[in-house]
Each structure stands twice: as C-alpha cells, then as structure tokens.
Amino acid sequence: MINIKDLHKQFDQLKVLKGINLEVGKGKVVVVIGPSGSGKTTLLRCLNVLEQPTSGLLAIGDQVLDFSQQVTKRQIPPFRRLTGMVFQNYNLFPHMTALENVMEGPVTVKGEPKETAKEKGEMLLRKVGLADKIGFYPFQLSGGQQQRVGIARALAMEPKVMLFDEPTSALDPELVGEVLKVMKDLAAEGMTMMVVTHEMRFAREAADEVIFMDGGIIVERGKPEQIFSSPKEVRTSQFLNLIQ
Amino acid sequence: MYLSSIFASPERVTRLIEIGKNSFQPLLEGAIAYTIPLTLISFICGLALAIFTALARISGNKILQTIARIYVSAIRGTPLLVQLFIIFYGLPTIGVIIDPFPSAIIGFSLNVGAYASEIIRAAILSIPKGQWEAGYSIGMSYSQTLKRIILPQASRVSLPPLSNSFISLVKDTSLASMILVTEMFRRAQEIAATNYEFLLLYTQAAFIYWVICFMLSIVQGRIERRLDRYISS
C-alpha cells in the first residue's frame, strides 16, 4: 500500500531523512519509534507532503510522486487525499462544531451534499464514541475527545492510509486509553496505519511491525516482540532501555 | 465685550432653537444620502482591496509583494485630503474627470484598503500553522483552506481593529466636503454661511457623527459576541 524509495529530506543544511526505504502492506499497522530529532515525524509529514521531500519516490496505492522530478502544486492535493492525518495537537477547526469539523472535508473538497456528509459525520462520531458531543465546539471537549474528533475528521475523507503523529503525546495520562482504543479498533478493521508514538504498549499490542529510526535512517525493523525483547542493533536497545 | 454674546437674550434663544430645528432635517438627509453610503461603499470596497493586498504581502511572489508594499506605503505616507484633491482636482488635468461622489469613494476605498490590509495580514499570521496543515491534510487547496479555515478565524481577531478603521472612516467622510460632496458637514457649512450660527451648526453635525459612531460600537459589540461563541470565556 505504501512504498517509499530512497527518500531524502533536507532543511537548508540539515539532513533530516537520509534515504528511507519502506514498504507497508495493505491493512498493516506500522509503529515508528525513535529519539527526538530522528526524523520520524518528518517521514510521516513527507507521506502527505506537508513536508516536500528533497528527493526520492513515494507511492500510495497506485499513485506515485517522484521527487527527483518536478512535482507540481496540482499533483499534491489528490495525493494528500489518499492519507488521513492525525496531529499531536489535534488541530481541530475551533470555529466549527465536532460534526462540522468532520463534515468539512467531504463537503468542501469532495462536494458531497450536506445531508450525506452529515449522516456520515454522525456515524463516524458515533464510531469514536462521541455521539453525544456532535454539536460541541472543540473548546468544550477534553483533549481525548478532541483527538477522537480529529480521527473522525480524517476518516471522513475515506483515506487508504491513516497517519498518526504522536496522537497521544499532548494528552493527560488518563485520556490516552480512549484514543488508543479507537486506534486499535481501526487497526482491527483492517486500516493501513503508520503511527509515530511513544506508547510502547500500543506498539506491542497493535503493531504488525515496529520501525526504529535514528539519525535520519531506519536502524532496525521487525515484529514488535522481536524489537522489544531482542533488538539486533545496539542503538535500538540503548533507546529502549532509556524509555522503559 | 466678547462674553456678552454668551449670555443670550430670550429672542436669541428662540432664534437658535428655530434654526436648530430647521437645519436638523437637511443635516440628517446629508448623513443618510451621502455620509452613510459613502462610508459603507468605501469600507466594503476597501476591505476587498485589503484582503487582496494582505494576501499579496504574505504570498511568495516577489512582484506582488513589492506592488502591495508600495501601495500601502504611498497611501499611509500621504494625507487623505491630498489624495482626494489629486483624484478630484488633479486628474482632470490629464483628462480624467470623475464626479465628486465617485471620487470620494475611490479615495476612501484606497485609504481603507491600505490601512486594513495591515490589520488583516497580522490577523492571518496570528492563526497557528497547524490550522493550514489540518486544512491541507483533508485535501483542501490553498484557497479552500484560506476561505473556510483561516479567514473565519482571522476575522474574529481583526474585528476590533477593523471597527476602529470603520469608525474613523465615518468621521473622515467629512473631508469629502472639500471636493464638493454635499455630505452632512458640507450642508452644515452651507447653512451656517447663511445665518452665521457656526457653533450651533457644527455642534449639531458633530452630534450626529457621534450618534452614528455610538450605534456602530453597539453593533461591533454584538458581532464580537457572536464571533466569540467558539472561544472559552
């Protein structure tokens, strides 16, 4: 489903991604871990071109962006629609209710009729356990509730892949569980997911594969049990020792 | 000697009341027919101009940026009265003849456009980058994100300073009297020229400006409350 070939990203002099190669099969859940500054968030943001890669190739489904050639502004929005993004700080639209947040993409981008979008929005909010918060503005919701609206908003565009950028890092500890539960349900339904997180329990329970990044490259990848119990690389075990 | 004129005789009081009553209607007509339309039309045109100018300023395009910068600098750096004189008395020299009212509209719109563009630019820049990214992440284009996500939030931020501009504009329209627009202040001048009651007429005009601005600040309060509904108090 996702195919990344020799992806590089450079900010001025700083090389953040130094040749990433990765394939993610349909319905797979990949968890990306690594120290801060390792490039994991940049990798995720490259996948929906919020950061434009310096060079390399990105493919999602049958759509391909080749950054060794000129990528035009027109190519980017259709490619973005293949992915749904969930942000660390939720980034809900504060001037819209929960339902309006979820309806925005389908109505404005896809041109769906409001009635259809409303039905779908209500369905998605029910799915993330917020059926009773439909008319609430973001400021009236807890962090966990806001993040679940964020997930519903991304799902409303019917993406092929869901990207999660540290979705629970800004949450109070007691609110983390409700967001992880929604993500696990999603994984169980067969959604292809790429998750940058520090939640090792989620990685153990829901990931098909764990990727450890450091210094802009993928240092090690494998099944969660293998990475967590017997990492092959020294850097991986050092990192895991630090956080556990 | 001078003080004697303050202590008015009963006949003089009667005369003042009479003049005040008679002049109130033409002044109000001047406000309704010219001051208010001049303000509204100029503000709407100016606001449209301001949005374009603000977007040009924050765009990556160097040429647009420079044009916008020069426009804002030229308008802010020259007196409004001089701008009006250039449009109405100056342009006919090169064969461009514009009637008083449209001349005033052009002058005031250009003025509002320059000042408000800075307000709008600051308001757009005050919206967190994550809002743009959230819009892009659900597949929106630049213009869709701007229209649906950024401008609605920026409008809340810019409302108080824009209201300031609007209220200033109401009062600035009195300058149109200098290019023959028979708005409220010009009528006051004309009436006073026939009966020499300058204090009375100008105070009356001032009072009507005040009432208009007072009503506007009430409207501003209402809009602010409406736009604040999604902000925790």
Side-chain angles (χ1 to χ4, degrees):
Chain A
M1 178 60 71
I2 307 177
N3 203 339
I4 305 172
K5 280 201 182 121
D6 198 28
L7 196 76
H8 289 259
K9 173 66 188 176
Q10 193 168 342
F11 294 102
D12 295 322
Q13 294 304 310
L14 185 70
K15 287 180 180 162
V16 183
L17 296 180
K18 303 168 187 168
I20 301 288
N21 289 288
L22 185 65
E23 269 169 53
V24 179
K26 191 172 189 306
K28 296 292 179 200
V29 177
V30 173
V31 168
V32 186
I33 59 171
S36 68
S38 59
K40 52 194 195 306
T41 289
T42 305
L43 173 62
L44 206 66
R45 288 166 60 86
C46 279
L47 272 168
N48 68 353
V49 208
L50 282 181
E51 303 292 354
Q52 182 139 357
T54 315
S55 68
L57 195 125
L58 279 181
I60 293 173
D62 49 11
Q63 295 220 39
V64 184
L65 283 185
D66 184 354
F67 292 94
S68 9
Q69 292 160 12
Q70 188 69 30
V71 172
T72 62
K73 274 191 182 152
R74 293 220 167 154
Q75 287 173 279
I76 294 173
F79 192 82
R80 273 201 188 115
R81 279 207 243 163
L82 303 170
T83 55
M85 180 85 164
V86 176
F87 298 90
Q88 182 175 357
N89 298 316
Y90 336 127
N91 289 343
L92 293 186
F93 307 132
H95 57 303
M96 299 181 185
T97 63
L99 182 62
E100 287 166 348
N101 263 278
V102 180
M103 287 169 62
E104 185 59 29
V107 172
T108 303
V109 180
K110 285 188 175 170
E112 281 181 19
K114 282 216 165 127
E115 275 311 303
T116 326
K118 186 163 176 273
E119 265 173 44
K120 187 163 78 179
E122 286 170 351
M123 188 270 285
L124 285 167
L125 285 171
R126 213 176 305 131
K127 185 171 158 176
V128 298
L130 294 172
D132 54 339
K133 305 288 184 201
I134 275 173
F136 283 50
Y137 284 98
F139 82 89
Q140 296 167 312
L141 301 172
S142 73
Q145 291 167 339
Q146 290 192 49
Q147 192 58 297
R148 285 185 280 153
V149 175
I151 294 172
R153 178 177 69 179
L155 288 174
M157 292 303 287
E158 291 158 2
K160 289 193 152 73
V161 175
M162 283 287 282
L163 307 172
F164 295 84
D165 183 14
E166 306 199 21
T168 56
S169 299
L171 293 175
D172 290 335
E174 76 272 20
L175 302 176
V176 170
E178 61 191 61
V179 173
L180 292 183
K181 185 185 171 297
V182 170
M183 290 168 62
K184 279 181 198 161
D185 292 349
L186 211 53
E189 281 172 28
M191 174 61 80
T192 311
M193 290 163 58
M194 199 153 151
V195 185
V196 171
T197 186
H198 298 294
E199 288 295 326
M200 296 303 146
R201 257 191 54 206
F202 175 81
R204 270 204 197 92
E205 291 168 16
D208 294 297
E209 189 174 31
V210 173
I211 287 172
F212 173 68
M213 280 183 73
D214 193 14
I217 55 166
I218 294 177
V219 175
E220 184 170 359
R221 53 188 290 195
K223 295 263 172 217
E225 50 272 30
Q226 183 255 310
I227 297 277
F228 289 120
S229 56
S230 53
K232 291 194 187 93
E233 299 289 331
V234 183
R235 274 194 279 176
T236 315
S237 55
Q238 280 174 342
F239 174 74
L240 290 172
N241 281 335
L242 280 176
I243 59 164
Q244 280 172 340
Chain B
M1 178 76 185
Y2 289 108
L3 281 178
S4 68
S5 60
I6 293 175
F7 303 106
S9 62
E11 300 86 69
R12 180 147 161 71
V13 172
T14 321
R15 178 182 135 85
L16 282 176
I17 290 173
E18 192 61 24
I19 292 175
K21 264 196 222 157
N22 290 339
S23 57
F24 188 72
Q25 200 191 338
L27 287 185
L28 201 62
E29 279 172 8
I32 291 168
Y34 290 99
T35 303
I36 294 173
L38 194 55
T39 309
L40 282 178
I41 299 172
S42 305
F43 195 72
I44 291 167
C45 297
L47 211 53
L49 193 57
I51 292 174
F52 281 114
T53 310
L55 292 178
R57 282 292 299 273
I58 56 176
S59 78
N61 188 318
K62 281 265 158 20
I63 300 168
L64 285 179
Q65 272 181 11
T66 310
I67 295 172
R69 221 181 263 266
I70 294 173
Y71 158 60
V72 172
S73 171
I75 296 292
R76 291 205 303 186
T78 53
L80 176 51
L81 186 59
V82 176
Q83 293 161 15
L84 292 173
F85 270 46
I86 290 174
I87 294 166
F88 184 69
Y89 296 113
L91 290 184
T93 321
I94 53 165
V96 182
I97 300 166
I98 309 171
D99 282 343
F101 189 71
S103 291
I105 296 268
I106 294 171
F108 291 126
S109 300
L110 286 172
N111 218 263
V112 171
Y115 281 95
S117 75
E118 289 293 280
I119 295 172
I120 291 169
R121 184 172 71 98
I124 290 175
L125 293 179
S126 77
I127 305 303
K129 199 168 145 252
Q131 290 293 310
W132 286 99
E133 293 184 345
Y136 292 152
S137 79
I138 54 171
M140 287 180 153
S141 63
Y142 173 84
S143 58
Q144 284 171 332
T145 310
L146 184 74
K147 194 173 126 213
R148 299 283 309 167
I149 311 300
I150 305 300
L151 287 183
Q153 295 181 62
S155 68
R156 189 185 109 0
V157 181
S158 58
L159 185 71
L162 282 180
S163 303
N164 252 344
S165 299
F166 193 70
I167 285 171
S168 292
L169 180 62
V170 173
K171 297 173 294 177
D172 285 346
T173 57
S174 61
L175 289 174
S177 64
M178 305 292 286
I179 56 167
L180 312 183
V181 178
T182 51
E183 48 69 68
M184 177 164 59
F185 185 56
R186 186 166 182 91
R187 295 203 181 183
Q189 288 175 311
E190 286 168 356
I191 299 168
T194 62
N195 56 27
Y196 304 107
E197 294 296 349
F198 296 103
L199 179 63
L200 175 69
L201 263 302
Y202 294 163
T203 311
Q204 254 185 317
F207 181 73
I208 297 175
Y209 281 116
W210 189 9
V211 170
I212 295 174
C213 291
F214 180 71
M215 291 193 297
L216 282 174
S217 51
I218 292 175
V219 174
Q220 177 195 352
R222 289 208 177 166
I223 302 177
E224 261 178 48
R225 271 198 297 284
R226 207 184 127 65
L227 290 179
D228 277 351
R229 73 194 183 284
Y230 62 83
I231 298 297
S232 61
S233 42

